Amino acid sequence: MEHTKRYQLPEEEIPRQWYNIQAEMPNKPMPLLNPATREPMRPEDLYPVFAEELCRQELNQTDAWIDIPEEVREKYKFYRSTPLVRAYGLEKALGTPAHIYFKNESVSPMGSHKLNSAIPQAYYCKQEGVENVTTETGAGQWGASLAYAASMFGLNAAVYQVKISYEQKPYRKSIMQVFGAQVTPSPSMSTRAGKDIITRDPNHQGSLGTAISEAIELAQTTPHCKYTLGSVLSHVTLHQTVIGLEAEKQMAMAGEYPDIVIACFGGGSNFGGLAFPFMRHNFTGERNTRFIAAEPDSCPKLTRGVFRYDFGDETGYTPLLPMFTLGHNFKPANIHAGGLRYHGAGVIVSQLIKDGYMEGMDIPQLESFEAGTLFARTEGIIPAPESCHAIAATIREAKKCIETGEEKVILFNLSGHGLIDMASYDKFIAGDLQNYTLTDEAIRKNLES
Ligand SMILES: *Cc1c(COP(=O)(O)O)cnc(C)c1O
């Protein structure tokens, strides 16, 4: 019998609405707070920083379905739908009875899922008369996606890139520049926040936290300029639900439904994007899927962080967010999965963890690259270092099925390819990578500081 490898949806099946899980969560996320007054933020309070429609989406807890503008769907057609793939090669290499599927977001022109939110964010900015957009980027995936989307809609983009990544991943900067963006390593001397950070620590390697501070400051001091964020916030995850909505239809084509859904976790957007459309069936009791967010063990906010109000950035420019956090001044080790080096989790995911709808799983750096290498050799795609975490978690679960003999259906997100991250693979092959497992003491000290 011939086996289907890839499940493809025709263009007209690209979703017409995003799924807003906030409307259907049994316990809604707690409000974002104004740090000065401790009052809950209203959409209007966020207008100075983000496009207004994005502010309304951020705090929308009533509409479960939000229309995708036709212009956004037109741009999605450049690369969507993305394939759902059965990982027969990986299954065979592991000798597992599990059925492993992955949603391949690496086929986007920028190589990751980030474009799914960059396109609507640039679109709403353009609609509202904004001319300039700023942002931060870690590995450069978000910066590249925003640069691409900004160029599609005729906006200028200024990107602060985490210094360590700027140095480790030079080609991402080139990609951003091809699309006309201005790229600055962070911390930099171009903002007050950057100057303060460099004064305190001249050797600061940068983090998403420092870059966010700089990008927000630039947006607030430049006319007709808005800030955009590629993860963490609820509107970003909303846009990413195109992943899970497509996957749901594609799993049905395969005649299966996932027992376990897995994605890597930085701020939660690719995880939520894949997981939330499936999770809605857990809320109604119709399904009992397990949801696993794979995070680096050097940045374990989901499993070892605390739930409390904290800032989203290093300097404290953002509202206070109710989230699992390692402390906003946490400095993650210089692991190669740049997109996972963030101290906190989004407010939706944080509430879902509290309520037991999902769990975190910590993956050491070496295990992630071992998993990514096996995946490349069996499925023919070199995964992004971030995505390697999801693959490692998938392999752990698939190996459990060998012991129990269960034919579990596992679905994971291939959030991006690693073809621009080969410097990281070089280090892995040369034996120059290490693990950075944290002690309880180190975590506690940071939280108390
Ligand atoms: C940015 C990024 C991530 C992490 O971000 P989330 O918001 O947690 O999804 C994961 N994988 C890739 C390839 C990325 O670029």
Side-chain angles (χ1 to χ4, degrees):
M1 192 182 117
E2 197 168 275
H3 295 293
T4 305
K5 176 73 176 161
R6 301 199 312 164
Y7 296 89
Q8 294 274 25
L9 293 172
E11 269 180 21
E12 59 273 16
E13 295 283 331
I14 297 172
R16 292 175 193 279
Q17 294 179 312
W18 293 298
Y19 174 58
N20 177 22
I21 194 173
Q22 295 194 73
E24 297 190 339
M25 287 167 68
N27 294 315
K28 312 265 187 230
M30 284 152 57
L32 278 52
L33 298 183
N34 178 324
T37 62
R38 293 246 157 194
E39 290 291 316
M41 304 287 289
R42 299 160 304 167
E44 308 85 276
D45 300 323
L46 298 169
Y47 288 174
V49 179
F50 299 103
E52 295 181 6
E53 177 57 24
L54 297 173
C55 303
R56 290 190 286 271
Q57 291 178 359
E58 185 64 27
L59 299 175
N60 185 330
Q61 297 193 333
T62 46
D63 305 309
W65 298 95
I66 293 180
D67 289 343
I68 302 177
E70 206 36 56
E71 293 87 332
V72 170
R73 267 190 99 246
E74 285 304 316
K75 305 294 185 212
Y76 277 167
K77 288 182 188 169
F78 280 62
Y79 61 99
R80 304 206 72 82
S81 64
T82 66
L84 176 82
V85 186
R86 174 88 183 258
Y88 290 112
L90 181 62
E91 288 173 17
K92 191 160 167 238
L94 295 171
T96 177
H99 296 188
I100 304 176
Y101 293 83
F102 63 93
K103 181 72 168 154
N104 186 0
E105 290 297 304
S106 82
V107 301
S108 113
M110 292 294 96
S112 83
H113 68 285
K114 296 277 195 331
L115 212 44
N116 299 332
S117 185
I119 290 170
Q121 292 196 45
Y123 166 78
Y124 289 121
C125 285
K126 185 68 181 180
Q127 283 291 100
E128 295 175 20
V130 172
E131 291 164 12
N132 309 292
V133 287
T134 73
T135 197
E136 83 301 324
T137 195
Q141 293 272 25
W142 170 245
S145 295
L146 185 73
Y148 179 104
S151 112
M152 278 190 157
F153 288 105
L155 302 166
N156 304 310
V159 181
Y160 285 94
Q161 183 168 19
V162 176
K163 194 182 275 168
I164 178 87
S165 305
Y166 184 89
E167 287 156 9
Q168 279 176 349
K169 322 226 160 175
Y171 293 123
R172 287 269 158 60
K173 172 191 63 189
S174 321
I175 294 171
M176 291 186 257
Q177 289 169 337
V178 165
F179 287 104
Q182 184 196 317
V183 189
T184 310
S186 171
S188 77
M189 297 299 279
S190 72
T191 61
R192 210 205 63 206
K195 280 183 200 150
D196 287 351
I197 292 163
I198 291 172
T199 310
R200 283 202 307 274
D201 179 0
N203 296 319
H204 203 301
Q205 296 288 291
S207 65
L208 286 173
T210 69
I212 293 173
S213 300
E214 293 203 88
I216 294 181
E217 185 179 322
L218 185 68
Q220 288 181 327
T221 52
T222 308
H224 310 293
C225 185
K226 295 287 180 184
Y227 169 64
T228 66
L229 191 55
S231 184
V232 185
L233 292 178
S234 304
H235 67 263
V236 182
T237 305
L238 171 76
H239 305 149
Q240 294 295 351
T241 58
V242 288
I243 303 173
L245 292 166
E246 286 180 4
E248 203 185 355
K249 290 185 189 169
Q250 290 162 309
M251 288 299 302
M253 288 166 76
E256 306 226 63
Y257 192 90
D259 298 303
I260 308 177
V261 172
I262 298 174
C264 67
F265 196 97
S269 78
N270 93 89
F271 172 83
L274 178 66
F276 293 170
F278 290 98
M279 202 181 283
R280 73 188 208 270
H281 305 300
N282 277 26
F283 294 157
T284 57
E286 214 180 316
R287 297 281 183 179
N288 190 22
T289 303
R290 240 181 104 199
F291 297 93
I292 302 174
E295 60 180 4
D297 75 343
S298 55
C299 195
K301 61 242 185 188
L302 301 177
T303 53
R304 300 169 73 193
V306 294
F307 182 84
R308 72 178 185 204
Y309 273 100
D310 196 5
F311 291 108
D313 68 321
E314 173 121 1
T315 302
Y317 284 151
T318 69
L320 285 166
L321 309 168
M323 62 179 181
F324 276 91
T325 178
L326 295 162
H328 67 276
N329 55 0
F330 177 77
K331 287 187 193 60
N334 292 330
I335 56 163
H336 285 258
L340 308 186
R341 295 177 72 242
Y342 184 69
H343 67 273
V347 304
I348 294 175
V349 162
S350 295
Q351 186 65 45
L352 292 170
I353 290 221
K354 261 178 86 181
D355 293 344
Y357 284 102
M358 56 172 283
E359 63 204 272
M361 184 181 283
D362 293 348
I363 307 290
Q365 173 155 268
L366 290 176
E367 183 181 340
S368 75
F369 277 96
E370 279 152 19
T373 304
L374 178 63
F375 182 78
R377 291 177 188 173
T378 53
E379 292 298 324
I381 303 169
I382 297 182
E386 292 83 1
S387 315
C388 289
H389 290 72
I391 298 168
T394 299
I395 291 174
R396 283 190 190 181
E397 292 301 320
K399 282 186 174 164
K400 282 190 206 157
C401 292
I402 303 175
E403 287 157 32
T404 62
E406 288 171 291
E407 284 187 25
K408 285 201 173 148
V409 177
I410 306 176
L411 167 64
F412 78 88
N413 198 34
L414 183 70
S415 54
H417 69 64
L419 291 178
I420 305 164
D421 303 289
M422 294 317 292
S424 306
Y425 278 91
D426 276 349
K427 290 227 166 91
F428 174 63
I429 291 163
D432 288 344
L433 289 190
Q434 61 180 98
N435 289 333
Y436 296 95
T437 312
L438 289 167
T439 62
D440 289 341
E441 177 69 4
I443 292 175
R444 192 182 49 78
K445 264 201 181 139
N446 198 75
L447 282 165
E448 283 169 4
S449 69

